[in-house]
Amino acid sequence: MRAARFHGPGDIRIDDVPDPQVQPGQVEVSVDWCGICGTDLHEFLEGPIFIPPKGAPHPLTGVEMPVVLGHEFAGVVSAVGPGVTGISEGDRVAVEPYWVCGKCPACEAGRYNICRSLGFVGLSGDQGGFAERCVVDQRWIHPLGDLPTDLGALVEPLAVGYHAVRLSGIREGGTAAVFGAGPIGLVTAAALRAAGAGKVIVVEPAAARKTKAAGAGADAVIDPTVDDAPDAIRDLTNGVGADVAFECAGIDAVLASAIGSVRPGGTVCNVAIWGHVPSVAVNDLVMSEINLIGSLAYCGDHPDVVALLQDGKVDAEQFITGRIGLDDLVSGGFRELIDNKEENVKILVSPKEVLG
């Protein structure tokens, strides 16, 4: 079958690879759509980062680069292995793209997303969504029911935002500030709205993204190049500050603004993956007893996100800004998102077709 593989920075190739083999307890998915993630872009520009480099195979998959890319995907079940129950050929499904050890303290505590040997389908091995077919264990299969598979491909990024919102502890009716209206910031805003946040404030300087933030459910959008974000957020919250702020940009100054924007005893949830070691004014945390927490991916969140989409509580269609075929992955996908990032949210890739 055809699959896009990472061979090194700037080097993604459409290769012919062996068909995946379905083992007991596994499900084969014929991939309809796979989204391009910011993590994929970082790997393309600067990798390998999460991808296991030559000479250092991943501890769970035993695979080193080149690896098959793509972790935001959905499709139709094309085969089931012995022992699989409740899943049938023809079912529409989304995939939770993990490899976990199942035996470390995090896994045993049910927090498998912080497994000490964590790997991602589409980053850590020979399976991924930028391929015609993919095989995963049944536990990672999430039925979509009547949801179309293009929306199914958005379950994974939405689950990132949903998990962060859940982890933050925000209460229904609470006030939240989201710093950054890139893809993760936008889905975090949408998840906040679906979770019943009383007021959602987005901080974003780019004009195109500010427009998208309003569509994602923001009650107010602040341009930090025009207004001081912490002051503006206090003005919008009767001088109190937000209950929770979400850092979705990975920029030191943005993290500082997020810390300065929450009420005393509030919470700052870091969702971004950072490309450098940040500088943090820890005394700002201490003097107001601010909780600074990290949120990684998702853990048990996919079924809830599927239900939100099925119930129409999240308008996910708005996040799809392009559809391409696998052969256009680099020029029409990666380069488009890098060179025109303010105009795009999610570009979906079909491994099966050449799309015009």
Side-chain angles (χ1 to χ4, degrees):
M1 67 174 183
R2 300 167 74 242
R5 295 200 297 174
F6 175 91
H7 288 262
D11 186 5
I12 294 174
R13 308 175 198 172
I14 309 303
D15 294 331
D16 287 322
V17 301
D19 288 326
Q21 301 300 307
V22 183
Q23 303 298 321
Q26 293 187 324
V27 175
E28 180 187 81
V29 177
S30 177
V31 180
D32 284 344
W33 296 102
C34 182
I36 301 173
C37 177
T39 302
D40 298 322
L41 301 181
H42 282 299
E43 295 288 354
F44 176 72
L45 293 171
E46 307 151 6
I49 301 170
F50 292 105
I51 290 172
K54 285 284 189 182
H58 192 273
L60 297 181
T61 67
V63 175
E64 59 188 44
M65 55 185 279
V67 301
V68 178
L69 293 172
H71 58 275
E72 302 180 354
F73 64 101
V76 176
V77 173
S78 48
V80 296
V84 171
T85 59
I87 301 291
S88 302
E89 290 187 31
D91 288 351
R92 296 172 181 169
V93 297
V95 174
E96 186 175 356
Y98 277 144
W99 276 293
V100 300
C101 74
K103 57 187 178 183
C104 70
C107 284
E108 289 183 343
R111 301 185 68 177
Y112 56 82
N113 63 314
I114 50 175
C115 169
R116 297 299 87 183
S117 301
L118 182 68
F120 287 89
V121 174
L123 287 170
S124 309
D126 54 7
Q127 300 290 321
F130 293 141
E132 295 178 64
R133 291 175 297 282
C134 180
V135 170
V136 298
D137 291 345
Q138 181 181 356
R139 70 176 291 191
W140 306 124
I141 294 291
H142 298 281
L144 294 172
D146 292 333
L147 276 179
T149 51
D150 55 351
L151 297 187
L154 299 179
V155 169
E156 194 272 355
L158 283 165
V160 173
Y162 182 87
H163 181 75
V165 169
R166 182 167 64 82
L167 204 63
S168 76
I170 190 170
R171 297 178 180 177
E172 187 172 354
T175 300
V178 178
F179 285 78
I184 293 301
L186 291 172
V187 298
T188 300
L192 282 162
R193 179 57 65 213
K199 182 175 289 185
V200 178
I201 304 164
V202 171
V203 181
E204 171 61 49
R209 289 185 170 185
K210 285 190 288 187
T211 300
K212 291 182 173 67
D219 296 293
V221 181
I222 296 168
D223 185 337
T225 65
V226 175
D227 298 304
D228 180 83
D231 285 346
I233 289 168
R234 281 189 287 272
D235 287 344
L236 291 167
T237 56
N238 297 318
V240 177
D243 297 310
V244 179
F246 297 84
E247 208 289 348
C248 302
I251 299 171
D252 291 20
V254 175
L255 177 58
S257 289
I259 292 170
S261 297
V262 296
R263 61 171 172 76
T267 296
V268 175
C269 182
N270 181 87
V271 193
I273 297 294
W274 291 68
H276 67 280
V277 178
S279 174
V280 181
V282 176
N283 281 348
D284 290 346
L285 300 173
V286 173
M287 298 306 292
S288 294
E289 293 194 343
I290 304 299
N291 303 293
L292 176 60
I293 62 173
S295 179
L296 177 64
Y298 27 76
C299 181
D301 300 292
H302 279 58
D304 287 346
V305 172
V306 170
L308 289 175
L309 290 171
Q310 289 173 331
D311 294 342
K313 293 183 177 179
V314 175
D315 175 15
E317 184 74 34
Q318 65 181 311
F319 299 130
I320 302 173
T321 52
R323 302 170 190 264
I324 60 174
L326 192 63
D327 289 327
D328 294 326
L329 178 63
V330 173
S331 61
F334 281 60
R335 289 306 332 172
E336 174 65 19
L337 289 166
I338 293 165
D339 299 334
N340 299 295
K341 62 181 180 180
E342 293 180 5
E343 303 298 325
N344 288 286
V345 182
K346 280 295 166 189
I347 293 178
L348 299 187
V349 181
S350 170
K352 298 176 179 177
E353 304 176 38
V354 177
L355 301 179

